[in-house]
Each structure stands twice: as structure tokens, then as C-alpha cells.
Amino acid sequence: MKEIQINVDGAVVRLLLAEGAVCLYNSASLEDFLRKNSFDNALQLATWIRESYQEYFSKPLNVSEDSIAVEILGHVYFEDFMERLGNKIPLNIMDKICEKISEHCNEINVGEKEHDHNREFWDLVTPVVKKYYN
């Protein structure tokens, strides 16, 4: 395993590279970077992730750039969406939901099918999300 930081247009993104998987750490810097041009910036980040993985392991990460981008957006914006819902749902219920989801959104674990039990989900929703952003 190797931990690296990449600078993406001024946003510093921490990555943990492991065999068959990459972990990104969600941060305000990452969220700011994605808000500027969401899908295109997530796709640019996905390209850099795959390049970093290839450089470190001397083989490609078997996950498409589109699927990586959609998974990143799914984690970053789902947390934001849930926080916004907090104004419309009773606080005691919303606090429990947001706390549980926030724990899962702090780390974005992108992996090959053998290492990521959610890979099929992200691959399945990728075409729909791409249409939304195009």
C-alpha cells in the first residue's frame, strides 16, 4: 500500500493505493473542486487516480474512469443532499441518518469487482449519471 497526495487544480486529494483498490479521503477541498464543474472534474480526478495506480502497481486499475467519477460524485453529493434534507425531516431522525451516511462518505473506496462489493452498483448507474451531466 502507498499513500499519496495529488494536487488537482489547487485541491489536495489524499489517496491510499492498494492492490485492486484506491481509497480517496473526502474533504472540503475535494468538494470545492467538484462543485466547479462536477462531472468533468470528477472524470479528470478519475484519470489521475488511474494514472497513479498504473505508475505504482505497473498495471491498470480495472475500473473505468466514468465509474470512478460517478462513485466519487455519489459519495460527495449524497452527503450534501442528506444534510440539505435535514431542514425538512425531524432532527432526531435526520441526525441518525446523516451520522450513519457521513461515516460512509468520509472515505471513497473504489475497487475492482473482486475488492469492492459496490462496484456493480456504480457500474450500473454510470450511464444514467453521465446522461444527467451531459
Side-chain angles (χ1 to χ4, degrees), residues 9-85:
D9 288 343
V12 177
V13 179
R14 270 181 50 217
L15 303 176
L16 181 62
L17 305 173
E19 187 74 32
V22 176
C23 178
L24 291 84
Y25 298 94
N26 199 346
S27 65
S29 181
L30 174 61
E31 291 178 26
D32 289 344
F33 169 71
L34 292 174
R35 284 189 206 291
K36 295 174 191 168
N37 193 0
S38 297
F39 190 78
D40 290 340
N41 282 0
L43 197 56
Q44 182 181 16
L45 179 56
T47 299
W48 289 328
I49 288 168
R50 285 178 44 90
E51 287 172 358
S52 297
Y53 185 92
Q54 171 76 38
E55 184 178 315
Y56 184 69
F57 287 106
S58 299
K59 65 179 184 176
L61 179 65
N62 191 20
V63 180
S64 75
E65 289 174 0
D66 287 345
S67 186
I68 293 170
V70 169
E71 184 168 358
I72 291 168
L73 292 172
H75 281 77
V76 171
Y77 287 124
F78 190 72
E79 183 177 40
D80 187 50
F81 173 72
M82 291 305 290
E83 288 173 4
R84 289 176 192 221
L85 275 181

